[in-house]
Amino acid sequence: MGKRALFIGGTGTISTAIVKRLVNDLDWEVWVLNRGNRANVLPDGVKQIIADINDEEKVLEAIGDTTFDTVCEFIGFTLDQIKRDVRLFEGRTKQYMFTSSASAYHKPAASYIITEGTTLANPYWQYSRDKIECEEYLMKKYKEDGFPVTIIRPSHTYDERNIPLGVHGKNGFWQVIKRMQEGKPVIIQGDGSSLWTVTWNADFAIGYTGLMGNRHAIGEAFQITSDETLTWDQIYQTIADVLGVKLNAYHVSTDFLRAVGDKYGFDFTGSLLGDKSVSVVFDNKKLKRAVPDMRTNVRFDMGVRYALDYVLAHPEECQKEDPEFDEWCDKVIASLEDAKLNI
C-alpha cells in the first residue's frame, strides 16, 4: 500500500522538488494544501486542496477522515501557526515534518563546523528566533505527548528560478546579474573569503524524502545541505564565469552594509550578520546515517548554469529590475572610493 503525504505549501523552491520526486520516482500519494496560486508547477496526480490553512474549519472539512503518513509544513514561521498545525493534525499523521532553518544556529558561530547539536541562538534575525521558538515547542510536544515531529534545517537552497547571492535588493537577484552583465562593480559582503554552502533543490529532495516515513527521524532534527563548500568570492566568480563576463567584485564590510542598508529597508542585519556573513561548514553525517542515498549530484557550477539558462530565457518571470538597489550600490561604492581619496 502506498504512503500518503500532505504538503502545507508545496509549490516553493524546496517543496516543489520534493513533490516531484515523490510523485515521479517514489510512488507516494501526494496532497497539497495551499491557495492555488502556483498550481501549474505541480505534477500530474497531485491532489490539491485550495484553502487558507488558517481557516481550520474549511481545512478539516476538505480533509474529512483522511489520515496521512507524513504532513510536511513549509509555510510555518511563527509559534501560532505551528500550534494551529498541531490542533489540525495531532492524531491524523504518523509524522509531522517542520521546515526550520539553518540560520537558527548560534550567531556569532562558536565553531564554523555545524552539526544538529550546535546551539540554536540568533540575536540578529527575528525570523530565526521564531523558528527556534517553533522547534522548542514541537520538541516539548514530542517529549510530553508523543507528537511525531521531525525538524528539518535547510540552508541556502536554490532552483532554476533563483541565483544565490549575499547582497541584493528587495526584488531579488536580477539587478546584481544585470550589474555583472554591464561591467559594474558588484558588492560582496566582507572580504569574500567567508565559507558558504548552496544546495540544488533536487539534491535537497533526496535527503528530505529519505526522512519521510523513516522511524529513525521521529523526535530528531536534521540539516539537509550540499557537501560543497565555497567562499562568497567563488560563488560570485562562478556566476560571472557562466555569464561569460569579468567579475568586478567590490568588498564592503558587513557592519557598513548594515549601517547604510537597513535604513533603506534592506535587512542586512538579519540576512548578513544573522546568516550569510558567518562562515559555516555543515557536517551531514547524521543525515547520511538515516538516508544512505543522500549525495550531492549538482555542483554549484552546474546548478547556476541551469538557473541562468532559465532566468535568461524567462525575462518576464525572473528578471525583476530594482533601480533603487542599483542606485544604492552606486552610492555605497562612490562614498567608499571618496573616503579612500580623502582620508
Side-chain angles (χ1 to χ4, degrees):
M1 181 181 295
K3 293 183 178 181
R4 180 185 297 127
L6 171 67
F7 283 74
I8 304 170
T11 58
T13 297
I14 295 176
S15 54
T16 298
I18 297 167
V19 168
K20 289 179 179 177
R21 178 172 169 81
L22 289 174
V23 172
N24 296 332
D25 300 333
L26 302 179
D27 197 30
W28 278 63
E29 179 184 315
V30 177
W31 295 46
V32 169
L33 192 162
N34 58 36
R35 296 181 180 181
N37 295 330
R38 297 190 67 235
N40 61 303
V41 306
L42 296 172
D44 293 339
V46 171
K47 300 177 184 293
Q48 185 169 24
I49 300 172
I50 297 178
D52 181 345
I53 183 64
N54 294 304
D55 188 343
E56 296 180 37
E57 185 177 341
K58 185 174 181 179
V59 170
L60 291 174
E61 181 182 339
I63 293 173
D65 58 1
T66 304
T67 58
F68 300 93
D69 293 279
T70 305
V71 170
C72 309
E73 171 61 270
F74 282 92
I75 54 173
F77 302 100
T78 64
L79 183 58
D80 286 347
Q81 293 168 335
I82 300 312
K83 287 183 175 181
R84 171 207 64 205
D85 286 359
V86 171
R87 290 194 299 271
L88 284 169
F89 300 112
E90 192 166 22
R92 292 173 173 269
T93 185
K94 298 174 185 175
Q95 182 184 32
Y96 173 86
M97 296 182 73
F98 170 62
T99 305
S100 184
S101 171
S103 70
Y105 288 124
H106 196 281
K107 305 291 184 306
S111 169
Y112 73 97
I113 301 294
I114 304 298
T115 73
E116 287 82 355
T118 298
T119 300
L120 304 181
N122 192 329
Y124 303 110
W125 206 359
Q126 186 62 46
Y127 164 83
S128 304
R129 294 195 295 275
D130 288 342
K131 290 288 191 179
I132 293 168
E133 188 177 30
C134 292
E135 285 199 30
E136 291 173 344
Y137 170 76
L138 288 166
M139 289 306 298
K140 186 172 185 290
K141 284 291 294 180
Y142 167 70
K143 292 172 184 177
E144 295 182 357
D145 303 321
F147 186 72
V149 64
T150 298
I151 292 168
I152 306 297
R153 298 179 188 139
S155 185
H156 201 156
T157 308
Y158 70 109
D159 65 1
E160 71 277 4
R161 295 175 295 114
N162 297 280
I163 311 296
L165 295 170
V167 180
H168 60 78
K170 299 172 187 176
N171 290 346
F173 65 86
W174 174 249
Q175 198 65 43
V176 179
I177 302 303
K178 192 168 184 286
R179 289 181 69 88
M180 285 188 183
Q181 292 175 319
E182 295 173 350
K184 291 183 176 181
V186 173
I187 293 175
I188 301 175
Q189 73 274 14
D191 65 359
S193 67
S194 60
L195 301 173
W196 197 243
T197 299
V198 290
T199 306
W200 184 249
N201 67 338
D203 285 347
F204 182 96
I206 297 171
Y208 190 99
T209 56
L211 294 172
M212 294 178 66
N214 186 332
R215 68 176 62 254
H216 302 293
I218 304 300
E220 297 288 342
F222 295 87
Q223 56 197 25
I224 303 178
T225 76
S226 163
D227 289 322
E228 181 182 24
T229 302
L230 300 164
T231 68
W232 277 105
D233 272 355
Q234 289 173 326
I235 290 172
Y236 278 76
Q237 185 62 61
T238 302
I239 296 169
D241 289 346
V242 174
L243 287 170
V245 301
K246 183 180 184 299
L247 176 64
N248 188 359
Y250 198 92
H251 297 107
V252 182
S253 79
T254 295
D255 284 342
F256 188 85
L257 290 172
R258 289 175 62 201
V260 300
D262 284 3
K263 65 183 180 181
Y264 281 82
F266 306 141
D267 180 21
F268 295 140
T269 296
S271 67
L272 293 184
L273 196 61
D275 197 25
K276 296 179 180 68
S277 287
V278 181
S279 282
V280 290
V281 176
F282 293 96
D283 181 341
N284 291 320
K285 293 187 184 72
K286 180 178 180 180
L287 174 65
K288 290 179 178 179
R289 284 195 299 268
V291 186
D293 290 341
M294 181 60 192
R295 60 191 178 276
T296 300
N297 293 307
V298 181
R299 298 188 315 267
F300 182 61
D301 62 292
M302 300 162 60
V304 78
R305 187 174 298 276
Y306 301 151
L308 282 169
D309 283 348
Y310 186 91
V311 166
L312 294 174
H314 296 80
E316 291 189 9
E317 177 186 355
C318 301
Q319 298 179 21
K320 298 179 181 178
E321 297 201 10
D322 194 338
E324 180 188 22
F325 175 73
D326 196 50
E327 181 181 356
W328 176 85
C329 289
D330 291 337
K331 286 182 178 179
V332 169
I333 293 166
S335 68
L336 289 171
E337 289 301 301
D338 182 64
K340 290 178 185 178
L341 295 173
N342 292 290
I343 292 178

